[in-house]
Amino acid sequence: MLSIFKSATGKSGKKNSYRWLIATSAVIILTPLAIWALNPSVAPGGNFDLSVWQLQLPIGSPGDPTTIPSSQLEGSNGYQDPGHQYFFTESGDGAMVMKVYGNPSTSGCVTTANSNYCRTELKENNSWEPTAATNRLKATLYVTAASDSSVVIGQIHMDASVSTKPVVELYYHSNGDIYAGVEQTRSGGDEVLTYLANVPEGTTFTYELEYYGGVLKAAINSNFTTLSTYSLDNPLSYFKAGCYDQGDNLADVHFLALTIQH
């Protein structure tokens, strides 16, 4: 099934153990991307098909943040937070904006039960098998702030029946470096980081996450890297996309397009 998000375009749990770092040699050439015909006068659901997503917000009760279902996200009059603080349409270019203002101690935000970090993040409603023919997430976006550390802009996450950990997270750092972090085991805490590219803040780019036929790949501007899945053994998974703040300060992510393909 192909779900196209209309537009003219976790870390789950604290990582207590060390991370491994893998560097790959890649030359990323930034080229101008199309100008997407987004309507700045409607809610994100008027520009993007949000029917396959639910929205997790950094507000609500500790361990149980507010979640907005698909039915409330859809359409031109769909959900935007009233103060346009966390999830809303950018008044200039019509981007779908997701923001977080720090961590619980610096901003008073709330986290999910298995995380120490706050998020404004879309979570795919249904899980899928990595051995299937196609599982692909593609986004066009730009990051205006990446906290004082990094922000996770996309994930493949293991289903709750398997683990509370992600398969892979895309980290965008404040200096523009982008890494893919893959857990080696389903119990987590042993993430391996692979460098993908550097894209300066405010620069539009695309990312892709693919996990099908048992093969995990990540790409920045169509430059793909195949990633080892170690001992994960093709766990039931789902996609996430948004702003998952890994630091103490503001993280601000603007999406111009979002596509899921199964």
Side-chain angles (χ1 to χ4, degrees), residues 21-250:
L21 177 62
I22 297 174
T24 60
S25 59
V27 177
I28 302 300
I29 301 174
L30 299 180
T31 58
L33 298 171
I35 301 300
W36 308 106
L38 299 172
N39 185 348
S41 300
V42 301
N47 288 316
F48 299 82
D49 179 359
L50 300 181
S51 64
V52 298
W53 299 103
Q54 58 184 276
L55 175 68
Q56 297 175 312
L57 290 168
I59 56 177
S61 302
D64 186 23
T66 298
T67 300
I68 309 299
S70 301
S71 60
Q72 296 179 29
L73 293 173
E74 295 178 80
S76 297
N77 294 314
Y79 177 82
Q80 301 183 82
D81 73 274
H84 285 194
Q85 299 181 70
Y86 309 110
F87 181 80
F88 58 93
T89 297
E90 168 61 45
S91 61
D93 60 12
M96 177 169 57
V97 181
M98 295 189 229
K99 299 175 76 170
V100 177
Y101 293 84
N103 60 40
S105 63
T106 60
S107 71
C109 62
V110 300
T111 74
T112 56
N114 298 297
S115 178
N116 296 295
Y117 300 99
C118 300
R119 73 189 77 210
T120 299
E121 190 175 41
L122 292 168
K123 176 185 177 183
E124 190 178 12
N125 290 329
N126 298 316
S127 297
W128 37 264
E129 296 285 354
T131 54
T134 305
N135 300 300
R136 179 181 294 113
L137 169 67
K138 184 174 182 179
T140 302
L141 70 160
Y142 58 94
V143 179
T144 65
S147 194
D148 56 338
S149 173
S150 65
V151 57
V152 172
I153 56 177
Q155 299 188 53
I156 297 173
H157 202 285
M158 286 183 262
D159 186 83
S161 66
V162 178
S163 174
T164 61
K165 304 301 181 182
V167 171
V168 60
E169 296 169 295
L170 280 186
Y171 294 95
Y172 182 98
H173 289 260
S174 54
N175 67 353
D177 285 346
I178 303 173
Y179 289 84
V182 181
E183 293 287 3
Q184 297 182 71
T185 62
R186 295 185 179 191
S187 58
D190 48 12
E191 186 177 62
V192 175
L193 295 174
T194 300
Y195 175 79
L196 297 178
N198 181 279
V199 179
E201 284 188 352
T203 301
T204 300
F205 66 100
T206 64
Y207 75 70
E208 295 174 71
L209 289 174
E210 297 182 351
Y211 195 11
Y212 58 87
V215 178
L216 177 63
K217 296 181 180 181
I220 303 299
N221 291 338
S222 299
N223 291 274
F224 278 90
T225 298
T226 299
L227 303 165
S228 174
T229 52
Y230 304 97
S231 301
L232 293 179
D233 193 26
N234 297 322
L236 191 67
S237 301
Y238 57 85
F239 289 120
K240 304 191 82 175
C243 177
Y244 185 16
D245 194 339
Q246 303 296 294
D248 300 331
N249 299 324
L250 173 68

